[in-house]
Amino acid sequence: MNRTSSIVAMQFDDSEQQHSAALLGMWIFLATEVLFFGGLFVAYTVYRYEYSDAFAEGSEHLAIWSGAVMTGLLLMGSLLIALSENVFERDHMHRVFWNLISTAVLGILFLSFEFYEYHDLIKHQLFPGAAFHWPEKQSTPLSGRSVEIYFVLFFCMTGLHALHMIIGISLVSGLAFYLRYSKNPRRLKNPLTVIGLYWHFVDIIWIFLFPLFYLI
Amino acid sequence: MNTSFRLLPEVASRGGSEIDLLAWALLAVSTLFSVVIAVALIVFVVRYYHTREVNRQSGWLERHHLATEIVWTIVPLLILLIFFGWGAEVYVRGHQPPPETTNIYVVAKQWMWKIGHEQGSREINQLHVPVGQPVRLTMISEDVIHSFYVPAFRNKQDVLPARYTTLWFQPTKTGVFHLFCAEYCGTSHSAMRGTVIVQTPEEYEQWLRSGEELSPEQRGRRHLASFGCLQCHDPLEGNRSGPPLAGLYGSLLPLASGHTVRVDASYIRRAIVEPQAEIHRGYQKMMPSYQTHLTPEQILEITAYLKSIADASGPVPGPAAF
Amino acid sequence: MATHQSYLSDGTTLRSWLMTLDHKRIAILYMVSLTFFFFVGGAAAVLFRLELITPQGDLVSSDTYNRLFSIHGIIMVWFFLIPAVPNVLGNFLVPLMIGARDLAFPRLNLASWYLFMAGGLFTLYVVIAGGVDTGWTFYTPYSSTYANSHVILAATGVFITGFSSILTGLNFIVTIHTMRCPGLKWFRLPLFIWSMYSTSLIMVLATPILAVTLALVAVERLLGVGIFDPGIGGDPLLFQHLFWFYSHPAVYIMILPGMGVISEIIPCFSRKPIFGYEFIAMASLAIAILGFLVWGHHMFVSGQSLYAGLFFSLLSMLVAVPSAVKVFNWTATLYKGSISLTTPMLYALGFIGLFTMGGLTGICLATLAFDVHVHDTYFIIAHFHYIMVGGMVMAYLGGMHFWWPKITGRMYSEWLGRINALIVFAGFNMTFFPQFILGYLGNPRRYHTYPGEFQVFHIMSTLGASILGIGYLLPLFYLLWSLKYGKRACDNPWDATGLEWATTSPPPAHNFRETPVIREPAYQYETPHSDSKNKPNPKTRLT
Amino acid sequence: MTSAKQVSSTQLIWTCVALMLLLLLTVGLFQLPLGSAHLIAGLSIAFLKTLLILAIFMNLKGGSGVLRLTAAVGILWLCFAILGIISDYTTRGWQETLDPGLEQGTHYSSSDRVEASTAD
């Protein structure tokens, strides 16, 4: 640990204490995030139990390959950001910068896939609400009314995830540039760890969304 | 309705007396505990007030005393478990009506109670029931959540949109009692009040007869005709494009999906508002949804009609009969 | 530092207050804003209590009445009861009590206050713009489809404030874990810290569920897309499940900090170590954890399944045990103590009495069959006001008086304080005891008009409320008065243990001149033996 | 609390490879006609992936006990919510005769629902 180059905040005794506080704080924040998404996972469980057939119907409108590619993109991003912590320890700030930028680009690719999917669903009048239209001929065995619930959940859950992705991408790219132009980049060790944790967490959420919405 | 000042409400149902007994027991235990705590507080404060010269030599109650802690953890726990068991027993029985009940249908909407009797009388914000007989309400809401509450019966049940809930009670004395909506339902929530009129069976019969309206079954039959249902569903013959209606109620229906469903009020409701959901095996998906055409009351009346012809072709048929 | 400056004189400009990172100054910011919200919420209560004097609706219209009780609930729950002790006393005391210089994340702490204020402004805007009429519970489908008031704005206000609560809880947990001074082991912590820790757990784990649930209601209203909409197969009861998954634990957010305050006051004014320290500490944690598993007792008559009812009733019985253990331990602490009836002690004793009654009626409500009768009646109102007002507000006032010398460096008028404690106690009981009877008689809650035979109790309640109102206004004046004219307080006017008393009154900006070291358990009070002559009388210890 | 040990780069890369293989496995399994087992398989693999990410990428492996506890508590509390709420839905109608006219004592597995005789 490079104690001398870190600037310790007034309330802490040393950088060690500051680092553990930052880590614990972030993990607690992630626990709250689990429960924030949790409300939606509860709703998903209840309605999947009530309308399992409708969920299977609805999921036929999602392309599995695209979901799989999206998962792959996120996992790659996670790897890069985890690697950048190692690189950071070895003071290769240039590589850290490029790792972070690549992560952000992978995230943007992920979002493009997702928004293309939204676009497609909206075109087929599958966005829930007044315009929702469920073609009669496919309605076996449940009518569109409970399929609509599936799409409500789909848009809410992936939408909330996308919001987290946007925040994550801004944080990662912000950090990348801050790091590049900072005079004392070693100060940014805690932010790098914390933002990395956040990125991995958003990743985990998608790992569950993928089987729950695409693989029914 | 006795509107004079009182400390305890009238009780007018069998279950009500049971709950009163439970309430007295709870009151006794609560009073005992509060008094013990209050007396202990006062005695300690007076006796060990800082100006008093008393022996404060630390006794056994100094900092910890494991046995004491365990005792005052276990004893309240046991008392609580007793009350749990008692309360649960009364509650479960309150959810299981006896087999023979007078059935009444309740539709709640902002801000009134619409009540229909099996024999045909309908009333608003008034409920006539016979004394001594178990009465069972099947309730649904047209809009938001309401709650059917008769304090004199110590009974309450929320009334939900798009789902039936039931409530039963057995009045034990005649009289006029309050009916309240207990779940906040908007502007005139507090005006959603009515009266429950408990009559002797004779008076009740007479009251039923005085209404000149059609019975729910008759009205249900009329709805079937006027909405064109009978063009596809013949009450008896099975040679139309829809399943016959006689003997349907209470039967086990095989579905196209391979499931089996018991035809009850909930199923009939679903079959009307969401006909594509559970199709009778061997029939086509032709029927449109009548959700926007039929009110919850009309659906209840159709259900009443179907129930009245449940035995039209002999005993209620099992799955094999289809 | 040679000169020993208090945190209060660390800057006098508005900017020095609004941009401060000092936990003590942020506590003051909360204190001022919470007091404001308390009186706004109280004003709503005054209006509907006046309306209820007569059975007819003659003072305000039914729509206004609905808006009054809704705003009373929303403000009192989210803008007073939940933040009261944690954000004012907790913010001030947590670092002091554990011998730290500040909370772990001072910027986050300030951000919490700004979030709180932003949520508060939304809520105040709702009041000005015409109110919200869903009640504080926002039940669907009324809130999502039928209400035509400012539901989205109100939900946004609560949503934002929720994040303030989450961040405060997070800050406390991290601080308590990582920043205790040397020698301050877990079982040497003051019980106030234990209760703050338990409270923070609930804030962090429950609040996100509320946030997402209210967001769903807002989405349903905005886009007409309904997760709870029965029209497309949604279930309004799911909302109630999610809502109470937060809101039942939230009740413990309101009472646990109060219990922490009482655990500080009782040993101090009995001059005796607290009885059963470990049991009280563990009871806090047990309440926090078990409190998460009992939410279904709000839904016994809602149409949830019979078995869910049994399950939640049983667990609700279990959560009563740790509360009972605490009451017994406090009472036992008085035994063979050397008791002085100062203002904080009067509030603490009042707390024990009223909380006991609130808790016992809570057990009644957890009993399934009994609840069916009194559910959604005034019995519920009385019960939770005994917990929240009889419990929490008493504890808050007690704690404010106890730590007032530490916070401001001034003594309040002890004489007025004692009288006021009695006024609050009497007014409270007169307001809410009749409501137990009213509830058992069957008067449903949230009723604008009511049958005439209930009037007597409503009149008693309103009379009591006016006494209670005096009891809340009086401290506002004499505490403010003490700021200028009160006697200067010494560092430890109550002769109490605890690190917060080891520094000056008011404390310096960085709390301690040198990091304290702890060598003994909490509450090492010397119990005076038979001789009372040389015992400290708190009054004589003022400088 | 001591600062966590770093995970080596090779370990990170191998973890990512494992995650990718698991991803292929999920998609592959989905092509087989497994019926209701799809849900179980999909969720189990998701849990496996989560464990890998938590342990290696998020370095819980080298993290302190408090951090692991925090992660566990978040998941545990979500389980509380899901189990508590679903227990209501799965037991609706038990021991209740919701419909007048049918004999008391007839047991309905759930009066609101289609009996799940063959379905997943």
Side-chain angles (χ1 to χ4, degrees):
Chain A
M1 286 284 131
N2 220 336
R3 230 165 256 233
T4 44
S5 58
S6 305
I7 294 172
V8 180
M10 174 279 292
Q11 68 274 22
F12 294 111
D13 295 335
D14 49 31
S15 72
E16 193 84 344
Q17 193 187 27
Q18 182 163 11
H19 185 69
S20 13
L23 266 187
L24 180 59
M26 192 58 194
W27 275 99
I28 294 171
F29 178 73
L30 294 185
T32 71
E33 285 275 38
V34 169
L35 285 147
F36 192 68
F37 277 96
L40 289 164
F41 278 107
V42 169
Y44 180 91
T45 316
V46 166
Y47 290 129
R48 170 110 188 226
Y49 172 77
E50 298 265 311
Y51 310 115
S52 54
D53 295 332
F55 273 52
E57 293 266 316
S59 76
E60 280 167 24
H61 283 262
L62 303 180
I64 293 168
W65 65 266
S66 119
V69 170
M70 284 156 82
T71 317
L73 290 174
L74 283 188
L75 292 177
M76 286 302 295
S78 260
L79 173 67
L80 285 175
I81 210 160
L83 281 174
S84 63
E85 271 195 75
N86 279 6
V87 182
F88 184 91
E89 285 303 314
R90 278 180 270 129
D91 273 323
H92 295 171
M93 292 307 161
H94 198 65
R95 273 188 59 198
V96 175
F97 173 76
W98 283 111
N99 268 4
L100 291 178
I101 290 296
S102 323
T103 308
V105 168
L106 286 172
I108 290 168
L109 266 177
F110 171 92
L111 283 181
S112 335
F113 270 92
E114 184 148 52
F115 291 148
Y116 179 75
E117 196 148 44
Y118 284 178
H119 170 79
D120 205 44
L121 289 174
I122 292 168
K123 210 172 63 188
H124 286 95
Q125 289 184 299
L126 290 173
F127 187 77
F132 185 82
H133 176 70
W134 187 249
E136 203 79 13
K137 57 180 184 338
Q138 296 170 337
S139 61
T140 50
L142 278 164
S143 71
R145 287 162 20 94
S146 14
V147 179
E148 194 174 343
I149 286 268
Y150 169 83
F151 283 106
V152 172
L153 283 168
F154 174 78
F155 279 101
C156 281
M157 294 176 86
T158 57
L160 189 61
H161 179 261
L163 184 68
H164 278 76
M165 284 297 296
I166 293 171
I167 296 171
I169 292 168
S170 332
L171 285 176
V172 167
S173 41
L175 180 70
F177 284 102
Y178 199 57
L179 209 97
R180 192 168 171 84
Y181 297 108
S182 169
K183 290 205 182 76
N184 183 6
R186 288 220 56 93
R187 244 164 35 103
L188 297 171
K189 178 176 159 47
N190 282 350
L192 179 65
T193 317
V194 160
I195 289 173
L197 286 176
Y198 180 82
W199 189 273
H200 297 312
F201 165 79
V202 176
D203 212 6
I204 290 178
I205 293 292
W206 180 261
I207 283 178
F208 281 92
L209 293 184
F210 175 56
L212 288 182
F213 282 106
Y214 291 79
L215 306 179
I216 301 181
Chain B
M1 204 177 326
N2 190 346
T3 55
S4 57
F5 167 82
R6 51 197 307 155
L7 274 175
L8 287 172
E10 271 182 287
V11 57
S13 78
R14 221 179 64 187
S17 317
E18 291 178 14
I19 288 175
D20 273 357
L21 187 64
L22 178 62
W24 282 114
L26 283 165
L27 180 67
V29 172
S30 304
T31 313
L32 180 73
F33 270 86
S34 334
V35 167
V36 167
I37 295 287
V39 167
L41 288 180
I42 293 168
V43 166
F44 290 163
V45 167
V46 172
R47 179 154 175 78
Y48 300 111
Y49 198 68
H50 68 93
T51 51
R52 284 177 66 115
E53 295 195 28
V54 285
N55 176 20
R56 294 192 173 87
Q57 274 322 331
S58 46
W60 55 278
L61 224 53
E62 172 68 356
R63 227 173 218 281
H64 324 260
H65 195 267
L66 192 62
T68 317
E69 299 281 358
I70 289 173
V71 166
W72 67 37
T73 308
I74 299 290
V75 171
L77 182 64
L78 291 178
I79 296 176
L80 288 168
L81 288 180
I82 291 171
F83 276 109
F84 163 72
W86 185 353
E89 199 266 337
V90 177
Y91 179 75
V92 169
R93 247 181 312 124
H95 277 73
Q96 291 172 333
E100 291 300 319
T101 49
T102 305
N103 295 317
I104 293 172
Y105 301 96
V106 176
V107 176
K109 64 172 289 218
Q110 286 176 326
W111 293 279
M112 62 170 77
W113 298 101
K114 298 193 282 187
I115 287 158
H117 295 258
E118 273 192 322
Q119 292 80 356
S121 305
R122 286 199 283 185
E123 45 190 341
I124 287 179
N125 289 345
Q126 271 202 337
L127 171 60
H128 286 77
V129 287
V131 71
Q133 288 172 27
V135 177
R136 172 169 194 158
L137 310 177
T138 301
M139 307 186 286
I140 194 163
S141 163
E142 281 184 24
D143 36 50
V144 301
I145 301 176
H146 302 276
S147 191
F148 190 95
Y149 177 36
V150 183
F153 298 159
R154 313 282 190 270
N155 219 341
K156 185 183 290 129
Q157 172 64 53
D158 282 7
V159 183
L160 304 171
R163 199 181 124 200
Y164 291 116
T165 51
T166 65
L167 179 72
W168 81 277
F169 49 83
Q170 187 171 356
T172 49
K173 74 178 188 197
T174 57
V176 180
F177 306 102
H178 285 298
L179 157 62
F180 292 129
C181 173
E183 180 63 63
Y184 174 68
C185 59
T187 308
S188 300
H189 168 54
S190 64
M192 195 167 160
R193 305 207 293 251
T195 45
V196 177
I197 300 157
V198 182
Q199 298 173 307
T200 60
E202 301 78 51
E203 284 171 340
Y204 179 65
E205 283 305 316
Q206 200 181 356
W207 177 82
L208 280 178
R209 274 197 304 277
S210 69
E212 284 167 24
E213 291 179 84
L214 299 171
S215 72
E217 295 92 83
Q218 289 166 315
R219 280 199 300 273
R221 178 69 164 76
R222 209 164 56 179
H223 298 320
L224 287 177
S226 60
F227 284 94
C229 311
L230 297 176
Q231 285 162 14
C232 298
H233 298 277
D234 188 283
L236 279 172
E237 302 293 322
N239 54 2
R240 308 269 175 98
S241 45
L245 300 176
L248 199 58
Y249 190 87
S251 64
L252 278 171
L253 200 68
L255 298 182
S257 59
H259 305 264
T260 310
V261 64
R262 173 79 70 175
V263 179
D264 55 15
S266 300
Y267 173 75
I268 290 168
R269 189 173 169 279
R270 291 199 302 276
I272 292 171
V273 302
E274 207 181 331
Q276 307 285 335
E278 292 151 84
I279 289 286
H280 190 331
R281 191 182 297 157
Y283 288 91
Q284 297 301 310
K285 283 180 218 112
M286 295 176 66
M287 182 169 156
S289 167
Y290 279 81
Q291 186 177 25
T292 50
H293 305 295
L294 289 165
T295 65
E297 270 174 301
Q298 288 171 322
I299 295 177
L300 274 171
E301 285 157 4
I302 290 173
T303 310
Y305 171 66
L306 294 185
K307 201 153 95 181
S308 74
I309 57 168
D311 294 332
S313 55
V316 174
F322 281 89
Chain C
M1 238 195 293
T3 50
H4 196 84
Q5 256 197 337
S6 98
Y7 77 101
L8 289 170
S9 46
D10 206 27
T12 48
T13 57
L14 191 61
R15 193 191 141 81
S16 77
W17 280 94
L18 292 181
M19 300 305 281
T20 182
L21 296 180
D22 184 344
H23 66 103
K24 300 180 288 301
R25 288 192 155 218
I26 295 172
I28 303 280
L29 291 178
Y30 272 115
M31 190 197 293
V32 174
S33 32
L34 279 175
T35 309
F36 170 72
F37 282 116
F38 177 76
F39 284 104
V40 173
V46 168
L47 283 176
F48 66 69
R49 224 32 272 171
L50 285 175
E51 158 64 48
L52 287 169
I53 291 178
T54 59
Q56 310 83 31
D58 28 25
L59 183 65
V60 295
S61 72
S62 55
D63 270 328
T64 313
Y65 175 84
N66 295 343
R67 279 149 217 248
L68 284 173
F69 75 68
S70 301
I71 212 68
H72 170 73
I74 290 172
I75 287 188
M76 286 305 198
V77 168
W78 282 295
F79 296 93
F80 181 73
L81 288 167
I82 285 179
V85 170
N87 287 0
V88 179
L89 295 176
N91 241 326
F92 194 90
L93 293 169
V94 166
L96 281 171
M97 281 184 166
I98 64 171
R101 285 183 288 276
D102 205 320
L103 289 170
F105 309 115
R107 276 197 186 79
L108 208 58
N109 197 17
L110 183 65
S112 304
W113 181 74
Y114 276 101
L115 282 174
F116 174 80
M117 288 312 281
L121 287 181
F122 266 97
T123 311
L124 288 179
Y125 179 72
V126 169
V127 178
I128 295 162
V132 58
D133 70 340
T134 58
W136 75 279
T137 49
F138 293 103
Y139 269 18
T140 55
Y142 184 70
S143 64
S144 54
T145 318
Y146 292 87
N148 36 33
S149 51
H150 299 283
V151 181
I152 297 180
L153 279 176
T156 313
V158 175
F159 181 88
I160 297 174
T161 309
F163 281 95
S164 152
S165 191
I166 291 175
L167 295 181
T168 304
L170 188 153
N171 220 336
F172 283 176
I173 296 180
V174 174
T175 307
I176 296 171
H177 263 286
T178 56
M179 300 179 72
R180 299 188 310 277
C181 70
L184 193 52
K185 296 178 188 145
W186 282 94
F187 281 96
R188 286 180 179 177
L189 286 171
L191 288 167
F192 182 78
I193 297 292
W194 274 105
S195 73
M196 276 297 122
Y197 186 77
S198 313
T199 309
S200 307
L201 273 183
I202 306 178
M203 285 174 159
V204 160
L205 291 169
T207 319
I209 296 257
L210 174 79
V212 76
T213 310
L214 289 182
L216 287 174
V217 170
V219 165
E220 187 161 344
R221 275 186 85 88
L222 276 173
L223 305 177
V225 176
I227 274 193
F228 309 117
D229 177 8
I232 61 167
D235 183 7
L237 286 193
L238 179 63
F239 172 85
Q240 298 184 15
H241 274 300
L242 291 171
F243 180 81
W244 290 114
F245 184 83
Y246 162 77
S247 290
H248 191 76
V251 172
Y252 299 111
I253 300 182
M254 302 177 208
I255 195 65
L256 275 171
M259 294 171 158
V261 171
I262 301 310
S263 306
E264 297 296 314
I265 296 176
I266 296 268
C268 174
F269 296 107
S270 314
R271 318 301 317 160
K272 201 168 158 264
I274 199 152
F275 187 77
Y277 172 94
E278 290 83 359
F279 277 79
I280 298 185
M282 287 301 115
S284 292
L285 274 186
I287 290 173
I289 294 167
L290 277 175
F292 271 96
L293 302 171
V294 301
W295 74 84
H297 66 214
H298 295 265
M299 299 168 65
F300 286 158
V301 299
S302 70
Q304 82 175 348
S305 88
L306 203 60
Y307 279 81
L310 296 176
F311 171 73
F312 285 120
S313 169
L314 182 61
L315 286 167
S316 308
M317 293 294 180
L318 297 186
V319 81
V321 174
S323 305
V325 167
K326 285 189 171 216
V327 169
F328 295 143
N329 278 309
W330 291 324
T331 311
T333 305
L334 298 179
Y335 177 69
K336 296 211 167 182
S338 170
I339 297 160
S340 37
L341 289 178
T342 56
T343 308
M345 189 63 168
L346 284 176
Y347 280 112
L349 294 173
F351 172 97
I352 298 180
L354 299 181
F355 174 75
T356 304
M357 285 186 66
L360 286 165
T361 49
I363 291 164
C364 299
L365 290 170
T367 310
L368 279 158
F370 182 82
D371 179 73
V372 170
H373 173 47
V374 294
H375 193 87
D376 272 330
T377 67
Y378 268 86
F379 195 93
I380 302 276
I381 307 279
H383 155 70
F384 73 69
H385 280 85
Y386 263 79
I387 298 283
M388 293 178 192
V389 184
M392 178 62 183
V393 179
M394 294 287 271
Y396 179 67
L397 286 173
M400 284 299 275
H401 286 89
F402 187 56
W403 283 293
W404 189 255
K406 182 55 65 181
I407 296 172
T408 64
R410 301 281 185 164
M411 297 304 292
Y412 56 88
S413 156
E414 182 66 28
W415 182 78
L416 273 172
R418 289 182 195 183
I419 290 189
N420 193 68
L422 297 178
I423 292 177
V424 170
F425 185 80
F428 174 82
N429 278 303
M430 195 165 158
T431 310
F432 292 104
F433 195 81
Q435 298 189 0
F436 281 124
I437 303 169
L438 210 44
Y440 201 77
L441 283 171
N443 193 1
R445 66 192 285 197
R446 297 172 170 178
Y447 257 33
H448 173 229
T449 61
Y450 55 87
E453 67 258 36
F454 298 147
Q455 191 179 8
V456 174
F457 300 102
H458 279 291
I459 291 176
M460 281 167 71
S461 195
T462 304
L463 280 178
S466 46
I467 298 176
L468 196 55
I470 296 171
Y472 290 147
L473 280 170
L474 205 54
L476 185 68
F477 294 113
Y478 71 73
L479 287 179
L480 283 178
W481 184 86
S482 79
L483 284 183
K484 194 153 170 62
Y485 305 103
K487 270 184 283 182
R488 287 199 180 278
C490 65
D491 290 353
N492 190 357
W494 311 119
D495 207 6
T497 66
L499 279 177
E500 78 270 30
W501 302 107
T503 181
T504 52
S505 297
H510 288 180
N511 294 349
F512 300 98
R513 263 174 293 180
E514 51 202 46
T515 309
V517 179
I518 300 291
R519 295 202 171 77
E520 54 180 23
Y523 310 114
Q524 284 294 61
Y525 288 101
E526 292 288 315
T527 316
H529 296 292
S530 52
D531 187 3
S532 66
K533 296 282 184 326
N534 49 11
K535 270 306 72 194
N537 180 353
K539 270 192 215 160
T540 63
R541 302 198 133 240
L542 311 181
T543 51
Chain D
M1 237 182 293
T2 50
S3 173
K5 255 194 2 244
Q6 290 287 330
V7 183
S8 74
S9 299
T10 39
Q11 216 176 351
L12 290 174
I13 291 167
W14 278 113
T15 310
C16 189
V17 170
L19 287 169
M20 290 296 182
L21 289 177
L22 283 173
L23 173 62
L24 286 179
L25 181 66
T26 336
V27 177
L29 277 180
F30 187 70
Q31 309 305 320
L32 305 174
L34 292 176
S36 60
H38 276 143
L39 180 64
I40 300 162
L43 284 183
S44 318
I45 293 178
F47 271 113
L48 213 58
K49 282 192 212 160
T50 305
L51 281 182
L52 277 177
I53 295 185
L54 283 175
I56 315 283
F57 281 178
M58 297 172 91
N59 200 9
L60 267 193
K61 189 168 65 85
S64 65
V66 183
L67 297 189
R68 289 184 217 170
L69 190 67
T70 313
V73 159
I75 295 165
L76 185 68
W77 253 249
L78 177 57
C79 293
F80 284 169
I82 289 181
L83 290 179
I85 292 176
I86 202 71
S87 75
D88 170 21
Y89 288 85
T90 49
T91 57
R92 285 223 181 135
W94 289 11
Q95 291 289 308
E96 292 170 87
T97 46
L98 283 185
D99 201 26
L102 292 175
E103 305 82 344
Q104 155 83 355
T106 321
H107 184 267
Y108 309 103
S109 67
S110 170
S111 66
D112 282 347
R113 303 174 44 73
V114 176
E115 273 174 31
S117 51
T118 57
D120 41 309

